[in-house]
Amino acid sequence: MAIRIPPTLGLTRPGPSNAPKITFAAKDTDVLEWNGDLLAVGVTEKDVVKDDNNNFTNPLLQKLDALLGGLLAEASSEEDFSGKSGQAIVLRVSGLSFKRVGLFALGQSASRAAAFVGLGEAIAAAAQASRAVSVAFALAFSADLSDEWKPAIASSIAIGIVNGIFDDNRYRSNPKATVLQSVDVLGLGSGAAMIKRLKYAQYVSSGIVFVRELVNSPANILTPGQLAAEVLNLTRNYSDVLSARIFDEEEIIEMKMGSYLGVTAAATANPPKFIHLCYKPPSGSVSAKLGLVGKGITFDSGGYNLKAGSGSNIETMKNDMGGAGAIFGAAKAIAEIKPLGVEIHFVVAACENMISATGMRPSDIVTAANGKTIEVNNTDAEGRLCLADALIYTCKQGVDKIIDLATLTGACITALGPSVAAAFTPSEELANEVLSAAERSGEKLWRLPIEESYWESMKSGVADMVNTGPSQGGAITAALFLKQFVDENIQWMHLDIAGPVWNTKKSVGTGFGVSTLVEWVLKNAS
């Protein structure tokens, strides 16, 4: 008799989303006259230089320190605050229009979006620690910035604040609500460009929070079916631009997706769901068609190549759908922004990789939808098997360019560490587009080579290919495998996000990928 698995294993029910609801506003208010809980000032090492009398030479810090009776200069000297990246000093003051003032350091210079996102996260940590309801941020060096750059900087800081303040409480018995309600931007202008960019930051942040909630959800809650349900809910909320089709197992068989079915069809009580979400602009013609493909393994046991031992990280394998989460988070943000001239196909072959008497075994041969055969020499390299059929399907949608995102290899983490994703593409044009988008978003990508000579190690004695190569260059051979399932006339990039998708210290998802994807889509829009 088959064992019935309850749909709510453990009787767990998630609480409501506690996504931050923060109002961002750009104001022309003088920094010294702002009224609220925490005044945060971003500084570089140059800004905190003092003269022989221990007075700041920066004009804004001079005025602020004079208002505080020299307290800021004194405290920065006592705490050896030199403006090095990551340093912060926060003081409780009295008798002023603000309750606390803080200096937050950016290092020698501030020229990259990543630094400003980090500044926002640091401000959020201080706001959370002091239970601040209202925050304002200013930059000591704002006079040195071009008007064109200021809105983008404010946007990066705003995204960092939301990401830093968000605390996923849905599975706690005694959740604490986020108290921060408003953030004012001071000294960076308040025109239409700034207002538009702050709205953009809120849209992107909402997508990031959505991804983090998906990735944080345990596998007994976020099954393939529930992931599909979340996507359908998106389409209900944004029915003017989003539509979706969910394919069940019988339809997947009809589409001959044997590579995908080999992973999931016989080894789990939770059936697979092939998800196709489509964005179409609210008006006008379409000049670019894009494909975004995400790895959607809602739990990865490794199959018969079971993840075992203290270094296997099986306890974090709910995050193996981080690629799927990233593209759906981007979809949410894009549905808010509503770019024109671009059609986007978001595709995920969602499933679990489990073990059963009828599950996929090492040495089994599976056949992808394009007829190519794959000898499975490792059941723990299952994500690429699902992506293979998802890429074939996406190519058939008439797209010009495809990016796939996947928590694909430990080899990538070994090569680039926990904070940097790897980018693989044979297209110089697409490489420039996506790496530039990452630079604007503050997310870290590094391009690695597609070394074609390594493909020899992926050939099978009995099938067209095996699904894993030797231990050396594992991230490269994984990219080479995926390349076999993409039409040559379509520009394609593979992003291995195994490292930055997960915050190991806090054991939560990061929402990595959303910002870059949205920036890339907008550059392809009309």
Side-chain angles (χ1 to χ4, degrees):
M1 183 177 69
I3 299 174
R4 181 180 178 274
I5 306 296
T8 53
L9 183 66
L11 303 182
T12 302
R13 288 283 195 281
S17 171
N18 64 314
K21 294 178 175 60
I22 302 171
T23 300
F24 288 89
K27 296 184 176 180
D28 294 322
T29 306
D30 186 286
V31 172
L32 304 186
E33 296 176 0
W34 179 76
N35 192 312
D37 292 328
L38 171 63
L39 174 62
V41 181
V43 298
T44 64
E45 292 181 19
K46 177 183 175 181
D47 297 322
V48 296
V49 170
K50 299 173 188 149
D51 60 22
D52 293 339
N53 296 317
N54 201 38
N55 295 319
F56 290 112
T57 58
N58 176 272
L60 175 59
L61 297 188
Q62 276 184 1
K63 294 176 182 178
L64 188 57
D65 196 40
L67 185 67
L68 296 172
L71 182 62
L72 198 58
E74 181 181 342
S76 65
S77 296
E78 289 179 355
E79 298 189 24
D80 196 25
F81 182 88
S82 60
K84 290 181 180 179
S85 180
Q87 287 186 318
I89 182 170
V90 179
L91 303 178
R92 180 71 166 88
V93 296
S94 60
L96 300 177
S97 58
F98 45 87
K99 297 178 182 177
R100 285 178 172 82
V101 61
L103 301 183
F104 297 84
L106 286 153
Q108 289 186 345
S109 63
S111 59
R112 301 185 65 181
F116 292 110
V117 173
L119 172 61
E121 291 174 348
I123 293 170
Q128 205 164 26
S130 62
R131 305 293 288 170
V133 174
S134 55
V135 168
F137 67 79
L139 299 175
F141 50 90
S142 59
D144 300 329
L145 300 172
S146 68
D147 290 340
E148 184 181 2
W149 199 26
K150 288 176 182 178
I153 290 173
S155 175
S156 294
I157 297 171
I159 289 171
I161 288 174
V162 176
N163 208 26
I165 209 74
F166 173 63
D167 184 23
D168 194 349
N169 284 319
R170 293 170 302 144
Y171 297 98
R172 293 181 179 140
S173 59
N174 187 26
K176 294 181 180 179
T178 299
V179 300
L180 182 60
Q181 295 178 5
S182 67
V183 175
D184 292 335
V185 183
L186 306 179
L188 293 176
S190 58
M194 177 64 74
I195 295 170
K196 181 179 179 180
R197 196 67 190 183
L198 288 177
K199 285 184 179 178
Y200 170 86
Q202 290 180 292
Y203 297 150
V204 171
S205 295
S206 72
I208 292 173
V209 169
F210 180 63
V211 179
R212 290 181 64 184
E213 289 184 332
L214 290 176
V215 173
N216 290 343
S217 292
N220 62 321
I221 299 297
L222 193 75
T223 61
Q226 184 57 39
L227 181 60
E230 294 286 349
V231 171
L232 290 175
N233 191 49
L234 274 184
T235 66
R236 284 189 287 270
N237 292 336
Y238 303 100
S239 59
D240 58 331
V241 290
L242 292 181
S243 61
R245 183 170 179 188
I246 311 298
F247 298 89
D248 61 22
E249 188 171 331
E250 289 185 2
E251 292 171 301
I252 296 166
I253 293 171
E254 289 176 6
M255 293 189 290
K256 299 181 180 180
M257 295 181 173
S259 184
Y260 170 34
L261 286 165
V263 176
T264 183
T268 176
N270 292 308
K273 296 292 180 182
F274 191 87
I275 305 168
H276 179 190
L277 176 67
C278 184
Y279 168 86
K280 291 187 178 180
S283 63
S285 60
V286 170
S287 58
K289 291 187 178 182
L290 309 177
L292 291 174
V293 179
K295 178 182 174 184
I297 308 297
T298 58
F299 187 79
D300 179 17
S301 72
Y304 275 100
N305 291 103
L306 181 67
K307 294 179 185 291
S310 59
S312 69
N313 295 319
I314 192 171
E315 70 280 1
T316 66
M317 284 301 106
K318 65 181 182 180
N319 73 21
D320 214 21
M321 43 61 64
I327 72 168
F328 293 144
K332 185 178 190 297
I334 290 164
E336 291 272 15
I337 298 167
K338 295 178 174 53
L340 301 178
V342 62
E343 178 178 304
I344 312 163
H345 297 268
F346 306 85
V347 178
V348 169
C351 65
E352 296 178 328
N353 184 27
M354 303 296 281
I355 299 174
S356 82
T358 54
M360 184 172 66
R361 295 148 296 208
S363 82
D364 282 358
I365 296 176
V366 297
T367 304
N370 63 354
K372 291 187 178 182
T373 57
I374 306 157
E375 180 185 6
V376 180
N377 60 2
N378 190 326
T379 62
D380 195 22
E382 83 300 329
R384 65 197 68 182
L385 297 176
C386 298
L387 287 168
D389 280 327
L391 287 166
I392 295 166
Y393 177 90
T394 307
C395 289
K396 293 178 180 178
Q397 306 310 308
V399 299
D400 310 303
K401 305 172 186 178
I402 295 175
I403 298 176
D404 76 72
L405 292 88
T407 50
L408 208 59
T409 66
C412 187
I413 302 176
T414 300
L416 298 179
S419 300
V420 184
F424 298 89
T425 180
S427 168
E428 294 299 323
E429 179 184 341
L430 188 56
N432 290 334
E433 284 183 10
V434 178
L435 292 173
S436 296
E439 183 69 24
R440 293 191 300 273
S441 74
E443 294 183 322
K444 297 176 182 178
L445 301 183
W446 192 261
R447 189 179 180 188
L448 292 180
I450 298 181
E451 179 52 56
E452 294 287 351
S453 66
Y454 291 1
W455 183 245
E456 287 296 316
S457 70
M458 299 291 288
K459 292 184 177 178
S460 166
V462 292
D464 293 333
M465 66 194 81
V466 291
N467 70 326
T468 61
S471 58
Q472 303 94 334
I476 297 175
T477 53
L480 283 168
F481 179 90
L482 296 178
K483 185 172 179 283
Q484 309 310 305
F485 304 95
V486 181
D487 292 351
E488 290 185 0
N489 63 332
I490 295 175
Q491 293 184 47
W492 160 76
M493 174 178 279
H494 162 58
L495 295 180
D496 192 332
I497 61 172
V501 79
W502 189 248
N503 184 324
T504 303
K505 183 177 180 180
K506 296 182 179 180
S507 196
V508 293
T510 63
F512 183 90
V514 172
S515 294
T516 296
L517 293 180
V518 174
E519 286 281 355
W520 177 67
V521 165
L522 293 184
K523 283 299 178 182
N524 279 273
S526 59

